[in-house]
Amino acid sequence: MEPILQLTNISKRFPGVQALDGVHFDICPGEVHALVGENGAGKSTMIKIISGVHRPDSGEIRIDGQPVEFNNPREATERGIATIYQELSLYPELTVAENIFMGHAPSSQVGPFRKINWGEMFDRAQEILASLNIHDMDVRRKVGSLSVGNRQRVEIAKALSINARILIMDEPTASLTEADVERLFEIVRLLRERGVGIIYISHRLQEVFELGDRVTVLRDGQYIDTKPVSETTEDELISMMVGRTIDNLFPKLPSEVREPVLEVRDLRRRPSVRGVSMQVRAGEIVGLAGLVGSGRSELAQTIFGITPAQSGEIFVNGQKVEIKTPAQAVKLGIAYVPEDRGTQGLIKEMTIRENVSMAVLPELARGGFIDFAREKTLAQEAIQQLNIRATSVQQIVAKLSGGNQQKVVVSKWLASKPRLLIMDEPTRGIDVGAKAEIHRLMSELAVQGIAILMISSELPEILGMSDRILVMREGRLVAEFSRDEATQENIAAAMMSAQMENNHLVMERSAR
Amino acid sequence: MAAVEQQPLQTETFGQRLRAWLTRLVISQEGILLIITIIAMLVLSTQSDRFLTARNLTREAVLLFEVAMMALPMTYIIITGGIDLSVGSIFGMSAIILGFAWQDAGLPLELAIAIGILSGMIAGFVNGLFIVRVGVPPLIMTLATLALYRGMALGISQARSARGFPDWFYEVGRGDFLGLPWQIWILGAAILISAIVLARTSFGRGLYAIGNNELGARFAGIPVDRYKLIIYTFSGFMSGVAAWIFTSRVSTTRSDMGTGIELDVIAAVVLGGTDIFGGSGTIAGTVIGLILIQVLKSGLLLSGVKGDATTVMVGAVLILAILINNLVGRFRS
């Protein structure tokens, strides 16, 4: 069958990272084409290119065989491409019907104004919902009062109101109850019968087998393969998603593991941290793996006092402690290199000098007065030690490259001489050279006896750097592997597929 | 701030360094304002020979005192990205409480002064507490207390004013110390301390960090909530002190004292180059902003310009200063 949409050799580069590199993708009418890959594999970038948010650096997009270029999302919409994002984009204060017809409400000209034909709008909204087998929704209700599942149905109806021929669904089941998932699947099948092409993105592989006709795997922005779902298995998909060779990017040095620096017992902070117990020892790098939303960063921020624990115990060097604020955590020798450099890790408008000293100002100050000479020395040492490429300590951090910005964040926390260093995605979005430098530094710090807890979505990084690996899912630790036991496959399986155990969809699939 | 502390490269000669320093000064926000202020003073001094006299200038400084005292904490608050609209109401309420404690409650005047200032601090603390703990935006919170504190002043005073204070009470408002009015000494000390704290302490650094990126400041272990509580309390304290000294100067308390003064305070701070969105600003800038506004008001008045025309002129110069600064700002970056 002739594809409605065809992407050939698409590449897209963002500063410091090749998001997509020669990717192919196509979709036929009446097909569910699943798109899978790890976090950061390039799925989001690809759907943003299809929906006109980003423009590709190179490559070709064809619709019905005709080359097209989208300058903005509106142009993609006009070509019949609709996207349902993870965060739904509805107006909670408006009615169901208004949301469905946002921007193209049925209207008639009255003098200089356009008058909305409310009756027609409500009727047509009702029709569209009925065509999706949704008969229990009041189109006059405000969207804000609907359940998540119902809001998603409104999104789908909205896509149909513009006669979408291609529907992109990004993790549509991420926040749905099982009953809602079932209804969503019914709707997807209904749309498929009507000839809509559906691009379906999900971390839950069993959904791919439940719904998909074909599946495309991306990894690190590379196109891996496209297969009919009937000709592949879950194991094969996982190994295609993670199957990189681990190169010697990860210079992990042998390190003597000593006494525990941090211990937490049954730590809880609703809704993301649901009873975590673990230890991190001096000289040890513990890798914390898990999908986005599994509660890894939330756990780190609970330990660091940004979102203090609601219950549970924290011990630092064997002493029971209370951590209610980051300042207390810093005093206890805990440092946290956060996930988002730009908003959490740095004050980008300020200088390298001011950023490096930020966490140690109380120690740099005598009677409250900052010792500027020591502050400058500290920043100069940081520039030398971490090989930060900058014109001077007075350079504004925003003007540095991603890798050098990350080094500023790291040197800020090294200045605090931590016992426990928590690193959240320490090498996200930085180039290979800076990445290797940060990995070498982590390894050296562990040898010096610092305890390191590293959160990463890159399995090779987890495998390459960690002495021990913990896997988190839905706010709990679900697996632990030693460095020798761990493989990409068993970590990935612990991160993802164990959802099958308590999901009736598996049974349905075998019954089909 | 960063521009002033820029390290010159070692290879430059002294002359080059001096020139670079002067260039930076001239194109800095403070430098431009200073130049505008000096030009304004020169022009106005040609219009009236009474303007540029020691006598007139000290008189102007005394008139400037209350606004200036409140502009110092306001600079801190605006640097953090906040605002305090309630300063005028706190000012009025503190004065009323001072008078009430002395005249109606019969307390010793020394104690009444302390209670007046303390009530200002508490009012500021309450602002800070709601902003920090409840997360009310500063604009909304202080807009509410602008009405609330003024209402309390009206309620407590019952439209009566306190007067007939003992003679010693008027000393601070009308007397001199070493040949200059007390206000100049107090304001000078307050400016100096505020400037040093902002530029040289970890507290001051924290305020800039909060204004540029509050989340980042929090993640770096800066006690953001405590700092915010301190600055709003400081704002209340300074309004209280200003209320006491103003009462001493005008010898009476009225519940409508300081109505609308918050706009003068904010205008001076913003004119002085503090970014209304937070993150940058200096006490020096605020001081120049204060002087410029006062110079215009007084100079135009002495030149025989009518009162309402003066206000128009002040507004026009504000806009002009901001325009020039924007132009130079583009050149700067």
Side-chain angles (χ1 to χ4, degrees):
Chain A
M1 200 185 290
E2 175 82 4
I4 346 173
L5 173 76
Q6 190 165 21
L7 274 69
T8 320
N9 229 349
I10 296 286
S11 295
K12 176 76 187 173
R13 193 176 167 77
F14 293 113
V17 56
Q18 185 75 38
L20 286 178
D21 189 3
V23 170
H24 309 285
F25 190 81
D26 64 78
I27 184 149
C28 301
E31 179 191 41
V32 176
H33 193 153
L35 184 60
V36 299
E38 287 183 288
N39 301 327
K43 298 172 304 218
S44 298
T45 308
M46 200 172 98
I47 61 169
K48 281 180 178 160
I49 284 174
I50 296 175
S51 58
V53 177
H54 292 320
R55 293 184 63 167
D57 297 336
S58 63
E60 194 182 44
I61 305 175
R62 282 169 182 269
I63 289 186
D64 300 324
Q66 301 294 315
V68 290
E69 260 185 56
F70 299 139
N71 294 307
N72 52 51
R74 178 172 277 267
E75 292 182 15
T77 309
E78 282 163 2
R79 291 301 198 124
I81 296 173
T83 311
I84 295 168
Y85 288 105
Q86 287 169 26
E87 294 84 25
L88 303 178
S89 54
L90 298 171
Y91 299 88
E93 286 303 312
L94 299 181
T95 61
V96 170
E98 282 171 290
N99 269 286
I100 290 175
F101 288 102
M102 179 55 63
H104 55 278
S107 58
S108 50
Q109 197 80 27
V110 178
F113 304 107
R114 292 199 71 81
K115 177 185 170 298
I116 292 179
N117 299 334
W118 289 91
E120 189 189 343
M121 184 164 84
F122 288 129
D123 290 346
R124 278 180 52 194
Q126 200 82 61
E127 277 167 34
I128 292 173
L129 289 171
S131 78
L132 290 170
N133 265 337
I134 301 167
H135 305 286
D136 53 354
M137 197 188 294
D138 180 359
V139 295
R140 288 177 169 78
R141 243 175 100 173
K142 278 187 183 175
V143 161
S145 66
L146 300 177
S147 71
V148 178
N150 272 323
R151 281 185 221 178
Q152 193 176 52
R153 283 167 216 147
V154 175
E155 278 269 6
I156 296 170
K158 185 175 163 186
L160 292 184
S161 75
I162 57 158
N163 296 316
R165 300 159 64 212
I166 297 167
L167 188 60
I168 304 170
M169 304 180 100
D170 188 0
E171 294 279 349
T173 57
S175 47
L176 294 188
T177 63
E178 280 185 18
D180 281 331
V181 170
E182 264 313 294
R183 286 198 71 175
L184 175 73
F185 285 6
E186 281 168 26
I187 293 173
V188 170
R189 292 193 190 103
L190 208 66
L191 294 174
R192 172 165 60 187
E193 279 161 32
R194 275 198 230 160
V196 177
I198 292 157
I199 303 173
Y200 192 90
I201 296 168
S202 181
H203 275 307
R204 301 182 183 175
L205 290 182
Q206 74 272 17
E207 291 175 6
V208 172
F209 288 93
E210 165 98 11
L211 279 177
D213 297 304
R214 284 190 297 160
V215 55
T216 290
V217 182
L218 296 183
R219 184 172 76 218
D220 290 340
Q222 308 273 341
Y223 172 81
I224 303 301
D225 204 359
T226 302
K227 290 197 155 195
V229 167
S230 53
E231 290 170 23
T232 186
T233 63
E234 200 160 312
D235 289 343
E236 189 188 23
L237 285 184
I238 289 178
S239 71
M240 279 160 72
M241 282 160 65
V242 299
R244 277 158 296 195
T245 53
I246 301 170
D247 47 23
N248 44 13
L249 251 181
F250 308 102
K252 176 76 178 85
L253 305 169
S255 163
E256 186 199 344
V257 175
R258 282 167 278 182
E259 75 288 348
V261 171
L262 173 81
E263 181 175 359
V264 301
R265 289 185 197 157
D266 198 29
L267 203 65
R268 283 166 196 274
R269 164 85 193 191
R270 277 187 304 270
S272 309
V273 182
R274 303 183 195 167
V276 172
S277 303
M278 64 167 186
Q279 279 190 347
V280 187
R281 295 164 177 273
E284 180 184 43
I285 300 179
V286 175
L288 186 55
L291 296 171
V292 168
S294 60
R296 297 169 303 167
S297 298
E298 290 81 357
L299 173 63
Q301 290 174 15
T302 299
I303 295 170
F304 193 60
I306 289 161
T307 50
Q310 288 160 332
S311 68
E313 294 174 307
I314 304 177
F315 298 84
V316 173
N317 279 13
Q319 298 281 311
K320 187 168 188 293
V321 294
E322 291 266 311
I323 303 177
K324 298 275 179 222
T325 65
Q328 286 173 335
V330 174
K331 272 200 200 108
L332 290 165
I334 301 174
Y336 175 51
V337 174
E339 184 180 8
D340 187 337
R341 264 197 302 284
T343 62
Q344 301 168 338
L346 293 168
I347 317 271
K348 283 172 109 171
E349 298 82 357
M350 294 173 83
T351 62
I352 296 176
R353 175 174 59 80
E354 289 165 320
N355 271 285
V356 169
S357 66
M358 194 72 74
V360 289
L361 280 177
E363 285 124 79
L364 271 184
R366 290 202 195 99
F369 289 88
I370 300 170
D371 184 336
F372 290 116
R374 273 177 67 197
E375 187 186 31
K376 192 179 160 193
T377 313
L378 182 75
Q380 281 167 339
E381 283 169 5
I383 287 182
Q384 269 171 13
Q385 204 181 20
L386 274 81
N387 192 19
I388 298 170
R389 275 169 289 279
T391 54
S392 82
V393 294
Q394 288 302 114
Q395 194 167 2
I396 301 292
V397 169
K399 303 220 164 118
L400 300 176
S401 74
N404 284 306
Q405 287 185 8
Q406 185 70 352
K407 288 183 196 171
V408 173
V409 184
V410 173
S411 47
K412 166 170 80 179
W413 289 112
L414 291 186
S416 75
K417 305 214 166 28
R419 294 182 200 133
L420 171 70
L421 179 60
I422 306 173
M423 302 184 93
D424 198 343
E425 304 286 0
T427 61
R428 171 177 289 174
I430 68 178
D431 59 85
V432 182
K435 202 165 174 170
E437 284 177 86
I438 286 187
H439 285 147
R440 183 166 41 80
L441 181 73
M442 286 170 70
S443 198
E444 286 166 9
L445 292 172
V447 171
Q448 287 165 29
I450 294 178
I452 299 179
L453 179 63
M454 178 186 70
I455 297 170
S456 175
S457 294
E458 283 186 47
L459 285 183
E461 184 173 52
I462 291 268
L463 285 167
M465 294 307 300
S466 311
D467 293 297
R468 197 151 59 85
I469 292 145
L470 303 173
V471 182
M472 207 166 165
R473 192 177 67 233
E474 291 169 4
R476 296 184 186 89
L477 292 177
V478 292
E480 175 169 350
F481 302 100
S482 70
R483 185 175 175 81
D484 302 330
E485 295 165 350
T487 63
Q488 305 220 14
E489 285 74 18
N490 59 19
I491 296 175
M495 279 162 61
M496 288 180 274
S497 58
Q499 277 159 333
M500 290 187 295
E501 292 157 18
N502 49 14
N503 197 324
H504 70 279
L505 293 173
V506 177
M507 280 146 19
E508 282 193 8
R509 186 181 122 215
S510 49
R512 187 167 69 176
Chain B
M1 181 189 68
V4 179
E5 287 163 14
Q6 189 101 37
Q7 301 294 325
L9 295 173
Q10 262 96 31
T11 49
E12 288 177 335
T13 65
F14 177 76
Q16 283 171 322
R17 272 161 60 186
L18 185 69
R19 193 182 306 158
W21 182 80
L22 280 175
T23 314
R24 270 197 304 273
L25 182 72
V26 169
I27 67 165
S28 74
Q29 178 107 17
E30 292 87 350
I32 295 163
L33 267 179
L34 198 60
I35 292 166
I36 297 176
T37 309
I38 290 169
I39 293 172
M41 286 176 91
L42 290 176
V43 170
L44 289 167
S45 66
T46 64
Q47 301 298 305
S48 161
D49 51 6
R50 282 176 301 155
F51 174 69
L52 213 56
T53 59
R55 196 183 140 79
N56 183 52
L57 292 182
T58 49
R59 204 178 68 92
E60 295 308 326
V62 169
L63 291 177
L64 181 78
F65 177 78
E66 289 81 22
V67 173
M69 288 290 276
M70 295 181 227
L72 301 175
M74 188 70 82
T75 308
Y76 286 9
I77 290 173
I78 295 181
I79 283 174
T80 64
I83 193 110
D84 186 351
L85 297 176
S86 69
V87 288
S89 296
I90 296 179
F91 178 82
M93 186 180 75
S94 292
I96 289 299
I97 287 178
L98 187 163
F100 180 85
W102 175 69
Q103 200 168 52
D104 301 70
L107 297 173
L109 187 51
E110 294 87 341
L111 188 61
I113 293 169
I115 290 173
I117 295 173
L118 188 70
S119 67
M121 283 179 77
I122 293 171
F125 181 78
V126 168
N127 281 339
L129 203 64
F130 275 82
I131 289 164
V132 166
R133 293 265 178 260
V134 190
V136 186
L139 184 79
I140 307 295
M141 183 61 203
T142 60
L143 188 62
T145 52
L146 165 85
L148 181 78
Y149 295 151
R150 181 67 66 195
M152 285 171 70
L154 289 166
I156 293 168
S157 73
Q158 297 296 328
R160 285 173 294 124
S161 57
R163 55 180 74 243
F165 294 99
D167 282 347
W168 66 264
F169 181 75
Y170 301 120
E171 171 63 21
V172 68
R174 299 177 185 172
D176 287 355
F177 177 71
L178 300 178
L180 284 174
W182 274 102
Q183 279 98 331
I184 292 185
W185 295 105
I186 296 170
L187 182 60
I191 288 171
L192 204 65
I193 294 169
S194 305
I196 290 173
V197 166
L198 183 61
R200 312 219 74 127
T201 65
S202 44
F203 173 75
R205 178 70 60 77
L207 299 183
Y208 288 109
I210 293 169
N212 275 311
N213 177 356
E214 184 171 332
L215 189 67
R218 223 176 265 282
F219 271 71
I222 289 172
V224 173
D225 292 350
R226 197 194 312 156
Y227 283 9
K228 284 188 176 175
L229 268 179
I230 290 173
I231 55 177
Y232 286 97
T233 309
F234 177 46
S235 180
F237 169 77
M238 293 295 264
S239 300
V241 171
W244 157 45
I245 295 173
F246 183 74
T247 306
S248 163
R249 173 155 70 86
V250 302
S251 75
T252 180
T253 65
R254 280 177 38 187
S255 58
D256 63 347
M257 268 167 41
T259 304
I261 202 173
E262 60 278 351
L263 297 181
D264 293 345
V265 173
I266 294 166
V269 173
V270 174
L271 178 64
T274 301
D275 187 343
I276 193 73
F277 299 113
S280 68
T282 58
I283 293 292
T286 296
V287 170
I288 301 171
L290 285 161
I291 292 174
L292 177 54
I293 293 178
Q294 195 63 27
V295 158
L296 285 172
K297 278 186 182 170
S298 123
L300 291 170
L301 208 65
L302 284 175
S303 315
V305 177
K306 291 251 163 44
D308 34 5
T310 304
T311 318
V312 171
M313 285 290 284
V314 171
V317 170
L318 282 186
I319 293 172
L320 185 75
I322 289 163
L323 278 181
I324 293 176
N325 194 57
N326 272 4
L327 279 175
V328 178
R330 241 168 268 166
F331 167 71
R332 240 190 318 250
S333 59

